[in-house]
Amino acid sequence: MAEATTPLMVDLDPATVPLEDIDVSQRELWSQNKKYPFFKRLRDEAPVHYCKDSEFGPYWSVTRFEDIMEVEQNWQSFSSDPTIVIQDPEEDFELPMFIAMDPPKHDEQRKTVQGVVAPRNLQNLEGTIRSRVQTILDDLPVGEQFNWVDRVSIELTTQMLATLFDFPFEDRRKLTRWSDVATGGPETGIVESEEQRREELYECLEYFTRLWQEREGTEEGIDLISMLAHGDATKNMDPQEYLGNLVLLIVGGNDTTRNSITGGVIALNENPGEYAKLRNNPKVIPNMVSEIIRWVTPLAHMRRTAVKDYVLNGQQIKAGDKLVMWYASGNRDERAIDRPDEFIIDRARARQHLSFGFGIHRCMGNRLAEMQLRILWEEIQKRFHKIEMVGEPERIPSNFVHGFSDLQVVLHPH
Amino acid sequence: MVKITYIEHDGTQHQIDAEVGTTVMNAALDNLVPGIDADCGGECSCATCHVMVDKTWMPKVGSPSDAEESMLDLNPERVENSRLSCQIPVTDELDGLVVNLPEFQF
Ligand code: HEM
Ligand code: FES
């Protein structure tokens, strides 16, 4: 229905389309990677922009770094409840999770689980992660074409999740499947119907309920399920809430890191000068990791719902309005970031990007994500002169999960 | 100019001269003191500029605002004298200030 009235953005000229017609949520803009000129137009001419009609209903776009920061800071006016994505939740199938809660409940639940991915604990995981990375890289075919997304990005992030949950290793691809199912409705082709989606998620719940029951009876371990089963704030969760939090941890740690792994290879191939810098100076890797995460922006947006009237950069927001903070735009805002469209691995202040969000919901897994990427690139540099991208990457048709489903590469060893 | 000493987790000390009007976070970055990330650039929105103020200095430094409190509160390693260094303005009163840096920023 909405499609009939809203023009298709990809067919229009971003420089001349009337501002009021711009709808940056359209999937085609994301699958064809044509969104950036539209965002630049909005940042320059209508930084807080109202789209009156879209597939997801009316919404405000917040596109400048500074304005996004202002929204992030003010959880009293901009709620994360009921959801943090542009698409409204299914009324009869809500998955409660702390990313979509406000204080005090958000704080209580976050505090229970955050210890497992805190830097102190990560130190203990570094050895395991490194050896898994080494095995994955050593098994790759050399000199022949393969899909990097499947063989490395998905495999590595899935193994990491299995480690965090202490999940039966041979079943680990179930985690990938559940992550895909949780984020993709029927329109993405991942499932055929909403019913199928629910069925698979209940299967996920059943599986994890078994693990919970096993672990609740034993001493608290350092895996996430055990922590949830023993934590005061979480041990009495109802099943739907348990499922919500599981999905949060699975999705949070899955697509995001996966797409950073793929995106890094693309960025280095598109910028051979930067690839040369990396070869000459592996010490740049931690800084490069931050730059990759900025440049990729694995989650394109987070959504808030206004609970009070508020004037944001001159625009009157009303209680009940939907706001979309477009990190993919804020990370390219020339007002906040020097030469934002360029990928510069030794960039100054590389950590100052929006990809992890800011404020009380700031990504809980940010150190884990950075550590995985750092170890991966350290091990890649020990083995390969170049990961050559052959052909164009295939992009996911989503305005939320910002990434790639296929990247064909050929490896060239030293 | 005001003297500030940062003590790293391993005991390494860095004494620097800071200008009145900057923040304890910015003074550290300007003088290349390691251990402070300051991912949000001083907006009280990332909590990666965490320091533990030397206890004798707490009365002069004071306690966190509500906004700072809500960020600090989510740090599992937060202690009584924890502060976000971007929220501590450098004043003449703080000449000689000593702060300890945590082993990890979150
Ligand atoms: C490069 C990788 C990653 C990116 C770009 C990313 C991005 C984000 C963003 C944008 C938010 C929400 C901020 C907001 O609402 O303002 C978030 C929250 C969260 N992330 Fe990540 N994330 C990544 C990796 C991870 C990993 C590995 C985990 C695994 C534990 C994780 C777990 C979470 C959780 C639990 C939250 C909710 C925090 C809260 O609401 O307090 N993330 N992440
Ligand atoms: S620099 Fe981000 S909270 Fe201090």
Side-chain angles (χ1 to χ4, degrees):
Chain A
M1 298 153 286
E3 274 93 317
T5 52
T6 321
L8 208 54
M9 288 297 114
V10 283
D11 297 334
L12 300 174
D13 178 356
T16 56
V17 53
L19 280 172
E20 72 219 42
D21 287 347
I22 294 182
D23 174 10
V24 284
S25 75
Q26 290 182 4
R27 283 174 230 287
E28 297 78 7
L29 279 179
W30 298 86
S31 60
Q32 298 175 33
N33 197 24
K34 289 189 172 159
K35 70 267 179 189
Y36 287 121
F38 289 91
F39 278 126
K40 181 161 172 38
R41 177 98 189 278
L42 290 185
R43 285 197 304 274
D44 289 345
E45 295 176 36
V48 178
H49 170 265
Y50 192 68
C51 174
K52 59 184 181 310
D53 183 28
S54 82
E55 186 190 338
F56 312 99
Y59 66 94
W60 291 95
S61 282
V62 187
T63 52
R64 285 190 190 168
F65 192 104
E66 211 180 43
D67 295 337
I68 291 174
M69 186 73 97
E70 189 171 334
V71 175
E72 296 263 25
Q73 288 168 336
N74 193 339
W75 53 265
Q76 293 91 341
S77 303
F78 303 113
S79 172
S80 292
D81 186 18
T83 181
I84 43 77
V85 292
I86 188 170
Q87 177 148 32
D88 293 324
E90 295 277 331
E91 297 244 319
D92 56 337
F93 190 71
E94 275 194 61
L95 287 178
M97 41 180 110
F98 65 83
I99 198 172
M101 292 176 189
D102 297 325
K105 208 164 176 203
H106 160 269
D107 298 19
E108 283 162 24
Q109 296 210 347
R110 173 165 172 150
K111 282 182 196 169
T112 321
V113 287
Q114 66 185 359
V116 76
V117 285
R120 190 168 303 283
N121 212 4
L122 292 183
Q123 273 182 320
N124 306 325
L125 285 176
E126 172 146 3
T128 316
I129 295 184
R130 191 175 296 275
S131 67
R132 294 199 161 154
V133 168
Q134 288 167 341
T135 309
I136 291 172
L137 293 179
D138 288 340
D139 284 350
L140 294 174
V142 162
E144 78 186 55
Q145 186 174 327
F146 67 93
N147 181 4
W148 179 262
V149 175
D150 191 55
R151 293 289 299 263
V152 182
S153 311
I154 294 182
E155 189 52 31
L156 179 58
T157 35
T158 305
Q159 290 194 16
M160 272 337 85
L161 276 177
T163 309
L164 280 180
F165 285 120
D166 197 9
F167 190 87
F169 204 62
E170 55 302 340
D171 276 350
R172 65 186 182 277
R173 283 271 168 151
K174 284 189 194 292
L175 293 168
T176 319
R177 174 69 191 165
W178 291 329
S179 175
D180 290 343
V181 171
T183 48
E187 72 287 349
T188 57
I190 289 167
V191 286
E192 272 162 24
S193 63
E194 184 57 29
E195 290 69 52
Q196 187 195 349
R197 190 174 98 97
R198 289 181 195 192
E199 240 163 66
E200 291 202 33
L201 287 177
Y202 278 125
E203 220 175 276
C204 166
L205 176 62
E206 259 169 53
Y207 198 111
F208 273 101
T209 303
R210 266 203 316 280
L211 296 179
W212 172 293
Q213 283 161 352
E214 281 164 29
R215 287 171 204 181
E216 133 193 91
T218 58
E219 228 172 274
E220 181 168 355
I222 58 157
D223 68 279
L224 278 167
I225 300 170
S226 175
M227 287 176 107
L228 289 170
H230 289 265
D232 280 333
T234 47
K235 65 182 176 204
N236 296 321
M237 283 187 291
D238 61 54
Q240 202 72 358
E241 196 163 0
Y242 180 41
L243 180 59
N245 278 306
L246 288 170
V247 166
L248 170 56
L249 293 162
I250 296 172
V251 176
N254 198 36
D255 293 300
T256 50
T257 319
R258 175 199 300 181
N259 288 318
S260 310
I261 292 172
T262 310
V265 173
I266 298 171
L268 286 167
N269 271 272
E270 289 176 354
N271 298 273
E274 299 302 301
Y275 211 152
K277 272 190 207 165
L278 169 64
R279 270 182 218 113
N280 296 333
N281 178 19
K283 285 211 180 70
V284 75
I285 288 174
N287 206 75
M288 175 180 85
V289 164
S290 291
E291 177 68 347
I292 289 174
I293 294 170
R294 178 191 73 89
W295 193 84
V296 174
T297 316
L299 295 180
H301 78 258
M302 284 280 155
R303 168 254 182 97
R304 296 289 185 265
T305 307
V307 290
K308 297 178 185 163
D309 291 359
Y310 189 93
V311 178
L312 180 66
N313 197 354
Q315 298 298 315
Q316 178 66 59
I317 312 287
K318 290 275 185 208
D321 286 357
K322 186 193 289 197
L323 281 89
V324 180
M325 303 181 282
W326 292 107
Y327 298 143
S329 171
N331 272 339
R332 302 286 173 115
D333 183 358
E334 37 295 276
R335 293 156 196 81
I337 294 169
D338 192 34
R339 295 188 282 158
D341 289 327
E342 291 173 46
F343 175 74
I344 306 172
I345 65 173
D346 51 356
R347 168 186 289 287
R349 302 193 296 132
R351 301 188 58 85
Q352 291 184 18
H353 60 69
L354 287 167
S355 298
F356 291 127
F358 281 116
I360 57 168
H361 290 284
R362 184 175 158 78
C363 179
M364 192 181 93
N366 74 95
R367 301 285 165 177
L368 173 63
E370 288 173 352
M371 182 171 98
Q372 288 182 55
L373 288 166
R374 171 176 58 77
I375 294 173
L376 174 69
W377 282 102
E378 284 168 2
E379 296 299 324
I380 287 175
Q381 286 316 100
K382 284 182 200 157
R383 288 169 176 71
F384 306 116
H385 176 75
K386 186 171 185 188
I387 304 166
E388 185 194 358
M389 171 170 123
V390 289
E392 283 302 303
E394 207 172 280
R395 287 168 186 274
I396 298 167
S398 162
N399 59 33
F400 181 64
V401 174
H402 189 198
F404 314 92
S405 47
D406 189 294
L407 178 69
Q408 295 296 317
V409 300
V410 175
L411 296 178
H412 303 278
H414 285 302
Chain B
M1 284 294 187
V2 166
K3 290 222 180 307
I4 303 179
T5 304
Y6 301 81
I7 307 177
E8 285 184 63
H9 179 74
D10 66 3
T12 313
Q13 300 207 1
H14 306 262
Q15 195 187 66
I16 59 114
D17 293 310
E19 254 170 85
V20 169
T22 183
T23 62
V24 173
M25 179 278 277
N26 269 320
L29 294 196
D30 290 346
N31 291 279
L32 304 177
V33 177
I36 290 183
D37 289 328
D39 292 0
C40 75
E43 289 274 343
C44 194
S45 300
C46 69
T48 65
C49 63
H50 177 213
V51 297
M52 284 88 75
V53 176
D54 185 279
K55 291 223 166 74
T56 57
W57 282 92
M58 275 308 274
K60 279 198 178 147
V61 171
S63 45
S65 67
D66 288 350
E68 183 181 339
E69 179 58 38
S70 63
M71 290 305 294
L72 266 181
D73 186 42
L74 293 173
N75 184 335
E77 303 199 346
R78 188 250 172 104
V79 288
E80 211 184 316
N81 50 328
S82 286
R83 286 292 313 267
L84 296 180
S85 57
C86 70
Q87 301 302 304
I88 311 175
V90 173
T91 59
D92 284 321
E93 265 216 303
L94 294 187
D95 195 14
L97 176 68
V98 178
V99 300
N100 297 283
L101 299 168
E103 188 175 2
F104 306 104
Q105 295 289 355
F106 282 81

